Amino acid sequence: MITVPAGAAAVRSTTAIADARDTARAFLEGLQQPAMAPDAADTVVLVVSELGN
């Protein structure tokens, strides 16, 4: 079993988070019809960003 100390925190760079947002947005823009509504795509990108924090 792998355990992580309760005080340990993952270190994520702002560049990695920005890359994840860009990748998510590029994926969503590349979807074929029916395309995702722009506000829904923005929500997905926000969630990706928050998951990186």
Side-chain angles (χ1 to χ4, degrees):
M1 172 192 269
I2 299 173
T3 60
V4 178
V11 177
R12 293 177 184 90
S13 71
T14 55
T15 303
I17 295 169
D19 289 345
R21 280 194 311 263
D22 293 344
T23 300
R25 187 165 303 278
F27 172 79
L28 295 172
E29 289 173 352
L31 291 176
Q32 299 299 317
Q33 295 297 329
M36 182 174 272
D39 59 331
D42 289 342
T43 300
V44 171
V45 172
L46 176 63
V47 169
V48 168
S49 180
E50 290 298 316
L51 288 173
N53 289 329

